Amino acid sequence: MAQECVNHDALTLDDGVLFHNRKGRAIELPQPLAPLADTHGHLTSFRKHDASIAICRAALAGVRMLVVPIDPVDEFPRKFEDAPAFLDWLARQVDEASRRIERCAERGLVPPTFDEGAFGKVAPLVENVRLVAGAHPYGAAELTDEALSRMDALLASPLCVGVGEIGVDFGPYNELPADVQERALRIQLRRAHELDLPVELHVRDNPEDESCQAHVLVARVLEEEGVPRRGCDLHCFTQGPEVMRPFVDLGCHIAFGGAMTFNRSEDIRLAAAECPSELLFVETDSPYMAPVPLRGEECEPAMVAFSAGRLADVRAEAGHTRQATYDALWRNARDFFEPRR
């Protein structure tokens, strides 16, 4: 489990190590060869972690961008009264993370630095926590006018850089028919077109469906509605190359996370090796699917370092240098999630 020695107002890492396994042994993070971006990390769903500590630890791991999804159906009013309440909460987490980072620096524990000649001046993570807003397919039936109004309030925030996660889910936890999910997807996809925002897609198939009808349906909708000018991100991709290719043909970015590191995920690694460099993302989908060597723990944004390292290794076997993979991951995220001016 992530080592958290927390008193009332400080994060202390007594041995200077960010992660330990269940036996208390230090887990070494791969050295990031470029600034890291977690393109999809939930901060509002932790069971064990404090969001401000998670941001602090991510910064210490080399993360310089975090994209936080917020759901106008599922998270209101259960977690937040309204959009301003969420935005105020997020600002407090970032402010507290900044104070934690300063206290860590006093003890000599600082975020890694990157060559400005290669990457330009990269803002610290606390200046680069962004959000996307959209109703998950589980909530498609509840995408009411009130929910859309909350969504519009979130999309209006200067921190908001996209619509998501939206899509179709035919997995074991889904209870909604395809037409209800498709309607919600189209409504939100059209919002992205209207506002000139990119989208983050959630697409999950029934594991017993070899024809992958959820992906087929979403690809059809994208062809009919059009991919937004600012782009489309297939978040948390867990399929093989055959399922990926129609989305690559549409120009969609493909985001790989913890599942790509699992022993039995060879099909995902084949897709990761084949994905064009200019369409490559890495993410955590925290608090879900923590990567090896921390599989089974509650995932957090700092763990993107493990997935990025494994992704670089996988692509190195396919002829890409590790540096080229790290460079592409940062460049793609920076350009795709550019704040509105």
Side-chain angles (χ1 to χ4, degrees), residues 8-329:
H8 292 296
D9 65 349
L11 168 67
T12 60
L13 298 163
D14 292 336
D15 55 3
V17 176
L18 297 184
F19 292 104
H20 299 74
N21 64 18
R22 295 183 181 183
K23 296 181 179 180
R25 294 176 181 171
I27 301 294
E28 184 177 356
L29 274 82
Q31 180 65 34
L33 302 182
L36 297 171
D38 180 358
T39 61
H40 194 99
H42 299 265
L43 289 181
T44 60
S45 301
F46 289 131
R47 299 182 306 277
K48 301 177 182 178
H49 295 326
D50 176 284
S52 70
I53 292 176
I55 295 170
C56 174
R57 200 191 323 273
L60 295 175
V63 178
R64 294 296 186 92
M65 180 194 299
L66 170 61
V67 180
V68 180
I70 182 73
D71 190 326
V73 169
D74 179 65
E75 302 190 84
F76 299 87
R78 184 168 60 89
K79 297 178 182 177
F80 304 100
E81 180 180 354
D82 53 23
F86 163 73
L87 294 170
D88 181 64
W89 174 86
L90 183 61
R92 293 198 307 272
Q93 306 312 305
V94 171
D95 287 346
E96 180 57 26
S98 182
R99 288 190 286 271
R100 293 183 187 280
I101 292 168
E102 290 176 0
R103 291 193 289 270
C104 286
E106 292 171 358
R107 300 175 54 246
L109 188 60
V110 297
T113 58
F114 301 98
D115 182 5
E116 288 192 13
F119 303 107
K121 187 173 179 59
V122 182
L125 176 58
V126 291
E127 297 178 14
N128 222 2
V129 176
R130 305 173 184 179
L131 66 96
V132 294
H136 189 284
Y138 289 168
E142 301 173 69
L143 189 62
T144 61
D145 288 344
E146 182 180 357
L148 284 169
S149 178
R150 287 194 295 266
M151 177 175 160
D152 286 340
L154 293 163
L155 295 176
S157 167
L159 296 179
C160 191
V161 291
V163 175
E165 59 187 283
I166 65 176
V168 171
D169 192 307
F170 292 162
Y173 308 111
N174 167 60
E175 300 177 352
L176 295 178
D179 62 330
V180 174
Q181 297 189 54
E182 181 177 344
R183 174 182 175 276
L185 170 59
R186 288 183 184 271
I187 289 172
Q188 296 178 96
L189 187 56
R190 289 168 186 170
R191 275 288 201 279
H193 279 286
E194 292 166 5
L195 298 173
D196 194 27
L197 288 170
V199 295
E200 283 200 333
L201 293 177
H202 169 106
V203 189
R204 178 158 49 198
D205 278 292
N206 184 319
E208 298 179 0
D209 176 18
E210 295 183 359
S211 62
C212 297
Q213 285 304 300
H215 284 82
V216 171
L217 189 160
V218 171
R220 173 175 59 81
V221 169
L222 286 174
E223 290 173 349
E224 293 172 358
E225 297 284 347
V227 174
R229 183 189 70 84
R230 292 280 305 280
C232 174
D233 164 21
L234 201 58
H235 136 75
C236 193
F237 188 74
T238 56
Q239 299 285 345
E242 298 81 6
V243 177
M244 180 184 71
R245 287 173 192 141
F247 293 91
V248 166
D249 291 343
L250 288 167
C252 296
H253 288 69
I254 312 296
F256 298 94
M260 182 265 304
T261 72
F262 300 167
N263 290 339
R264 297 184 179 180
S265 295
E266 187 59 30
D267 55 341
I268 307 176
R269 288 189 285 274
L270 289 172
E274 181 179 307
C275 182
S277 295
E278 67 274 13
L279 298 178
L280 198 64
F281 282 160
V282 67
E283 62 165 66
T284 59
D285 197 19
S286 61
Y288 315 107
M289 292 184 297
V292 174
L294 292 166
R295 185 177 183 183
E297 302 297 343
E298 185 170 66
C299 189
E300 57 178 294
M303 294 182 191
V304 76
F306 295 108
S307 295
R310 185 65 189 276
L311 184 57
D313 291 341
V314 166
R315 290 178 64 80
E317 295 174 2
H320 305 272
T321 67
R322 298 184 82 253
Q323 185 69 61
T325 294
Y326 274 97
D327 290 351
L329 290 171

